[in-house]
């Protein structure tokens, strides 16, 4: 039996009704008796996944929690309150292929009330403890992979309880060829002294790329300046020809005769004037480079040094070389411990245990994008919100424009009272635990969203409701939040159309297709520098393209809700029973829609946005 057949049969066994857990486990055990390589576990149903079989997630902004900077170029950071599986589904629509760095610190599944599955803690005695954790992580990591850009990288903190299983799971999802490595983070300087077997100082951070990019550089900074030897006795003998002006001499000007007593054998005389060679010359030696590489280096500004009569050549690059990071992450590279993280949250007067230090996340997120400052970072196990704090601090240090998205549930009010509150204080400034005033990182926007739901049945009512409630998601998708109350001189009306324009790009959301003709006339008379993104309600995949023929060069059309349905179909669990809406209900919905729309085309003041 091949792997596809086996997977299909496992899936069928898992969905068979009428089996007890014991019977299902026995059948799976028989199927798995044949030796196989890879990770095998019994998938355990998750309540949130079952909900997504019947409802579609959306995002709704809590505008009263928005923190908006006076700086018009401030990056827009996003905090989403809700189950992270629901939130990831919405991000699959708004950010598929747009996330550059994901950092997550998931439950370690220690059995000590750190992992909740279906509203219950998973303890050490739970026979499905590891299966539940793998089911939980697998669903989320599969969507996370879709969110990553082609250059995207994910970092996952973990300890011994699930490290081995997580490595195999990530190999399945991201491919072993995209495994970058495991970093060992020194999490504490004071491990428990009472342990009888081992005093653990380190935790793991697994790193995977979305795609295998040959010769990609990860860096922890720059190598100290200075020159380096060009000769290496372990290399084979070769001949290099040095172009005019490529070698600098700490020797008197003059002619240096060809001879073999130098560190490298001169094959021609060298004429030195004003400290450089004014002729091309050749030499034989055990060089690090060949001729092609030497010429490439010269073209990039690298020059060569002869410091003494030994004629031992050295080279110095015009640009700084990057330092490839070690797999050890500790104070030697400027990364703190759990103790440092605790001091950071205490200074903010925030009550939270087991946060990660700001320096760890800063260090990791910079490694794959060490020379880029305009990237998007996601953390969907946000905890106290350290990832956003680190992102804003990095921007403040180097003038970057990184954006951060946080996701967390609100269990014990953690999202409202810890994640949000911590970062509100970081942005607006605060008084620390010592009574000292700390200035805020004010060049940041923070927008707060909650997950919500729309029925999954495709009735006209549900379709219209989804489009109306999806506006906040569209703002997130387009990174465009500045709403205008007029469009081409025409007032906007909630429930009919809304218009967003921040001076850089424009978005028009049309909820009532009956308004298209009038809006097309307005667009026709407008002088615009780039196409307007137009989202328009349509019961099909056609965004009323024919109606926009006269302004086709001024608009970029997208039919809703079909674009959202297309995304969700790829990632959400399938419905168990497809329910077809009775014909009379469809007719009633259509008539109700017509009644609701009656009079709206007059754009009355009562309906003005």
């Amino acid at each position: 039996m091949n792997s596809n057949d086996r997977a299909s049969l496992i899936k069928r066994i898992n969905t068979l009704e009428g089996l007890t857990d014991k019977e299902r486990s026995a059948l799976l055990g028989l199927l798995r008796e044949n030796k196989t390589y890879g990770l095998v576990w019994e998938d355990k149903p998750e309540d949130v996944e079952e909900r997504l079989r019947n409802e579609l997630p959306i995002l709704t902004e809590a505008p009263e929690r928005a923190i908006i900077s006076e700086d018009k170029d401030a990056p827009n950071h996003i905090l989403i309150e809700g189950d992270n599986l629901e939130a990831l589904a919405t991000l699959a629509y708004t950010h598929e292929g747009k996330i550059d760095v994901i950092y997550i610190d998931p439950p370690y599944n220690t059995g000590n009330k750190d992992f909740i599955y279906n509203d219950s803690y998973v303890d050490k005695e739970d026979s499905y403890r590891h299966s539940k954790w793998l089911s939980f992580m697998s669903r989320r990591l599969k969507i996370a992979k879709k969110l990553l850009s082609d250059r995207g990288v994910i970092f996952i903190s973990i300890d011994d309880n699930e490290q081995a299983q997580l490595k195999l799971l990530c190999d399945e999802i991201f491919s072993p060829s995209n495994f970058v490595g495991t970093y060992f983070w020194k999490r504490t300087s004071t491990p428990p002294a009472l342990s009888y077997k081992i005093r653990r100082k380190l935790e793991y951070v697994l790193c995977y790329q979305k795609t295998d990019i040959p010769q990609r550089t990860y860096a922890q900074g720059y190598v100290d300046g200075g020159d380096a030897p060009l000769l290496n006795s372990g290399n084979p003998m070769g001949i290099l020809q040095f172009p005019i002006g490529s070698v600098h001499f700490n020797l008197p000007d003059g002619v240096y005769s060809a001879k073999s007593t130098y560190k490298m054998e001169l094959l021609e005389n060298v004429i030195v004037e004003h400290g450089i060679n004014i002729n091309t010359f050749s030499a034989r030696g055990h060089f690090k480079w060949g001729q092609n590489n030497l010429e490439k280096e010269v073209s990039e500004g690298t020059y060569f040094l002869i410091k003494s009569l030994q004629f031992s050549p050295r080279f110095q690059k015009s640009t700084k070389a990057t330092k490839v990071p070690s797999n050890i992450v500790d104070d030697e590279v400027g990364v703190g411990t759990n103790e440092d993280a605790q001091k950071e949250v205490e200074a903010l007067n925030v009550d939270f245990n087991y946060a990660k230090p700001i320096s760890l996340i800063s260090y990791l997120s910079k490694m794959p994008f060490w020379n880029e400052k305009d990237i998007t970072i996601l953390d969907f196990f946000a905890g106290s919100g350290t990832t956003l704090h680190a992102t804003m601090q990095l921007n403040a240090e180097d003038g970057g424009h990184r954006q951060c998205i946080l996701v967390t549930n609100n269990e014990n009010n953690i999202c409202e009272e810890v994640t949000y509150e911590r970062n509100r204080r970081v942005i607006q400034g605060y008084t620390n635990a010592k009574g000292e005033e700390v200035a805020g990182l004010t060049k940041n926007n923070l927008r707060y969203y909650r997950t919500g739901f729309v029925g999954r049945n495709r009735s006209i009512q549900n379709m219209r409701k989804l489009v109306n409630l999806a506006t906040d998601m569209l703002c997130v998708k387009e990174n465009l939040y500045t709403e205008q109350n007029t469009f081409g001189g025409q007032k906007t009306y909630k429930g009919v159309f809304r218009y967003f324009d921040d001076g850089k790009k424009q978005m028009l959301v049309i909820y009532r297709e009956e308004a298209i003709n009038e809006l097309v006339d307005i667009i026709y008379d407008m002088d615009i520098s780039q196409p307007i993104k137009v989202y328009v309600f349509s019961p099909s995949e056609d965004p009323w393209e024919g109606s926009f023929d006269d302004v086709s060069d001024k608009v970029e059309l997208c039919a809703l809700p079909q674009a959202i349905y297309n995304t969700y179909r790829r990632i959400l669990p399938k419905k168990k029973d497809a329910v077809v809406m009775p014909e009379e209900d469809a007719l009633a919905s259509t008539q109700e829609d017509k009644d609701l729309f009656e009079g709206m085309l007059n754009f009355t003041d009562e309906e003005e946005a």
Side-chain angles (χ1 to χ4, degrees), residues 461-476:
Q461 291 165 310
N462 278 346
M463 292 174 74
R464 289 202 184 277
K465 184 178 181 182
L466 177 55
V467 173
N468 276 272
L469 292 177
T471 304
D472 287 344
M473 288 170 60
L474 298 179
C475 291
V476 172

Side-chain angles (χ1 to χ4, degrees), residues 39 158-169 204:
L39 188 62
I158 202 67
D159 74 356
D160 286 322
N161 287 281
E162 296 289 359
Q163 185 274 336
Q165 293 88 305
L166 178 62
K167 174 64 170 63
L168 289 172
L169 177 63
Y204 311 99

